[in-house]
Amino acid sequence: MNFDTLLALREDTRTRRITDLFDTDPDRAKGFSAGFDGLFFDYSKTAIDAGIRAELIALAEQAGLAERRAAMFRGDRINRTEGRAVLHAALRAGKDAVIAVDGQDVMPEVRATRARMEIFAEAVRSGAFAGPGGQITDVVNIGIGGSDLGPVMGVAALAPYCDGPRVHFVSNVDGAQIHDVLAPLNPKTTLVIVASKTFTTTETMTNAQTAKRWLAAGVAEPAAQFVALSTAEDKTAEFGIPPDRVFGFEDWVGGRYSMWGPIGLSLMIAIGADDFAAFLEGGASMDAHFRAAPLMDNLPVLLALVGIWHHQICGYPTRAVLPYEQRLSRLPAYLQQLEMESNGKSVAMDGTPLGYVSGPVVWGEPGTNGQHAFYQLIHQGTAVVPCEFMVGARGHEPDLAHQHRLLVANCLAQSEALMCGRSFDVALTEAHAKGLSGKAAEQLARHRTFPGNRPSTTLVYDLLTPRRLGQIVALYEHRVFVEGVILGINSFDQWGVELGKELATALQPLLEGADGGDTKDGSTRMLVEYLRHMM
């Protein structure tokens, strides 16, 4: 992809301040924002002007975005390195949708699996499916990566709608996590969900066996309280889980895109089938918007173009996701995987080296917590960190509306401060007002100067409901897709996670005393020996 025109525009406008754009265009905020179905996206606090935006849109068009988008929704095998279609959108498609892979409509099976999920989830919620101690009170979801991050984020985000059993999550192979999760629970009223497509994921299956031993100490038939989210029915049967409690999904659903289907079972149990359906409808509405809206008004496209401008053109290496919504505390981690596992690549689709940087480092925390942690750096540090704010107009606690207004005020104030800053002259005047003079006043003013001109976007929604969450997740999924198309990479494989897994398998026996350490480098050999003697 040729970024030369945009890089030249960046050089031409490098010294221009974002506030200058507002001075020359009083209606800039209206012209550099867009809305859709309860969401409103403001990107006016960036250095993007009309000319830059036009070139960014042209870049997307030249990359063949329209054709690639159509191919994805059509069921073409756009994940070329694995020979797979990319059809997570099918999991949330409407009842009349027809989506084919290799000429065969996949929707009947999608609907049938969802119906089975709904029946089972409602049975757990109502007590029709129970443990030996009675109605299920707790559900433990064991998975990792996409089998964990989506559901754990969703359950936290939709806490006001969680009226089913308590849902807990185990992902890390560190025994401390599963110990701490299981310790306070009653095995006689606990359901365990094992989420692994192949039923071979090392961390997940290690934890599943630990959970099985824990259940066996308290119930006669531990496998009777297990559910599998997997396509490996031979392995689930070997574990003791009958087919009616196995929910599978096709290889055209990538792990980090999978919470819309069986991987979302824990979320469905927590909030109920109706609210889960609203979550799916939110995702489907964003799909329709992404497919139909002009690029100029298309929220996923605009979000992606802002990201391309900041990372590939301006050279800002990281991106902060800052939801001013405590219940979205796990959203930055979810988006971290979505973005960095998808677009953290170094070769183009055809295997040739990229001639430019790929995806950014994504990180963040909910506001206002981050303000007392890392905002110092984003305001006055030497590195520019584009910030993506997110805030709801209302909270779910009407008796605490005054606190929500304070939360919103903080969100708006941070984006304003990042853009406007505080000049040395203003800081000096304030120092004089405090009674300081001379070098003391100047020194304090230097410390209290904010450079400003730091870009941010703000995504606003009315209230964090299941539908809104579905829209937000799908918005970011499609943003990642658009960025990948522009970069010419495959956003739907993740070979980078494989090598470490392979090496870990070989290292475990060495830690247990087996021979073979001479094949390792000096540092690894030393660490193995040091740790083995301490175990």
Side-chain angles (χ1 to χ4, degrees), residues 432-491:
H432 289 154
K434 293 178 181 291
L436 298 176
S437 60
K439 289 186 177 179
E442 290 185 11
Q443 185 180 56
L444 180 61
R446 302 264 176 223
H447 287 285
R448 288 176 54 82
T449 296
F450 288 68
N453 205 39
R454 304 203 164 187
S456 70
T457 63
T458 304
L459 180 69
V460 178
Y461 49 90
D462 48 2
L463 181 70
L464 188 60
T465 63
R467 181 180 176 87
R468 291 290 174 263
L469 181 66
Q471 289 175 313
I472 291 168
V473 173
L475 166 66
Y476 274 88
E477 286 179 349
H478 294 320
R479 182 255 191 95
V480 167
F481 170 77
V482 174
E483 289 179 337
V485 169
I486 292 173
L487 296 173
I489 60 179
N490 183 4
S491 298

Side-chain angles (χ1 to χ4, degrees), residues 277-294:
F279 169 69
L280 298 181
E281 289 166 5
S285 76
M286 185 55 66
D287 294 340
H289 169 73
F290 178 50
R291 298 178 73 177

Side-chain angles (χ1 to χ4, degrees), residues 29-43 285-286 289-290 293-300 302 458-461 471 475:
K30 293 181 180 179
F32 288 80
S33 58
F36 166 70
D37 190 19
L39 299 183
F40 184 76
F41 179 59
D42 172 26
Y43 61 104
S285 76
M286 185 55 66
H289 169 73
F290 178 50
L295 301 191
M296 181 86 161
D297 305 309
N298 195 303
L299 265 60
L302 292 172
T458 304
L459 180 69
V460 178
Y461 49 90
Q471 289 175 313
L475 166 66

Side-chain angles (χ1 to χ4, degrees), residues 20 46 77 166 200 218 224 236 250 254 307 320 342 422 512:
D20 295 341
T46 70
R77 296 180 181 272
R166 295 179 293 268
T200 60
T236 60
E250 300 298 329
S342 295
R422 177 194 286 146
E512 294 169 350

Side-chain angles (χ1 to χ4, degrees), residues 118-131:
E118 291 172 354
I119 291 169
F120 181 75
E122 291 305 317
V124 173
R125 287 166 57 84
S126 68
F129 178 94

Side-chain angles (χ1 to χ4, degrees), residues 122-393:
E122 291 305 317
V124 173
R125 287 166 57 84
S126 68
F129 178 94
Q135 185 164 356
I136 296 296
T137 58
D138 295 273
V139 175
V140 178
N141 186 93
I142 298 177
I144 196 166
S147 299
D148 170 77
L149 285 165
V152 75
M153 181 273 294
V155 168
L158 299 179
Y161 302 87
C162 290
D163 55 2
R166 295 179 293 268
V167 180
H168 315 269
F169 294 88
V170 173
S171 55
N172 202 324
V173 76
D174 185 344
Q177 187 182 31
I178 193 166
H179 171 273
D180 291 350
V181 167
L182 296 180
L185 306 186
N186 180 357
K188 295 182 178 180
T189 58
T190 298
L191 175 71
V192 179
I193 298 174
V194 182
S196 171
K197 183 183 290 187
T198 62
F199 226 62
T200 60
T201 309
T202 301
E203 299 94 333
T204 298
M205 298 316 301
T206 300
N207 280 321
Q209 292 292 349
T210 297
K212 194 174 186 180
R213 289 192 297 272
W214 173 78
L215 279 170
V219 302
E221 298 182 47
Q225 289 167 238
F226 272 85
V227 173
L229 311 179
S230 175
T231 57
E233 290 195 10
D234 56 336
K235 293 183 174 62
T236 60
E238 183 180 340
F239 194 87
I241 305 173
D244 64 315
R245 278 187 276 117
V246 177
F247 300 88
F249 47 101
E250 300 298 329
D251 65 4
W252 38 256
V253 179
R256 56 193 174 276
Y257 299 91
S258 62
M259 68 179 294
W260 311 96
I263 293 298
L265 180 62
S266 57
L267 176 60
M268 183 184 283
I269 292 173
I271 65 177
D274 289 345
D275 282 328
F276 190 83
F279 169 69
L280 298 181
E281 289 166 5
S285 76
M286 185 55 66
D287 294 340
H289 169 73
F290 178 50
R291 298 178 73 177
L295 301 191
M296 181 86 161
D297 305 309
N298 195 303
L299 265 60
V301 173
L302 292 172
L303 195 57
L305 296 181
V306 171
I308 292 289
W309 170 255
H310 285 153
H311 188 53
Q312 277 73 27
I313 307 304
C314 296
Y316 305 141
T318 78
R319 172 187 300 160
V321 178
L322 308 170
Y324 274 66
E325 179 95 45
Q326 180 60 32
R327 292 188 175 110
L328 288 177
S329 61
R330 294 298 290 164
L331 182 66
Y334 175 80
L335 297 180
Q336 189 175 68
Q337 185 204 24
L338 181 66
E339 182 102 22
M340 295 173 71
E341 195 166 86
S342 295
N343 290 345
K345 310 293 170 61
S346 58
V347 295
M349 191 76 79
D350 62 3
T352 58
L354 287 180
Y356 37 80
V357 296
S358 56
V361 173
V362 177
W363 58 284
E365 280 286 324
T368 56
N369 291 8
Q371 293 177 198
H372 295 267
F374 53 78
Y375 277 46
Q376 168 63 42
L377 183 147
I378 65 176
H379 279 292
Q380 290 186 308
T382 55
V384 174
V385 179
C387 295
E388 298 183 355
F389 294 97
M390 194 178 301
V391 68

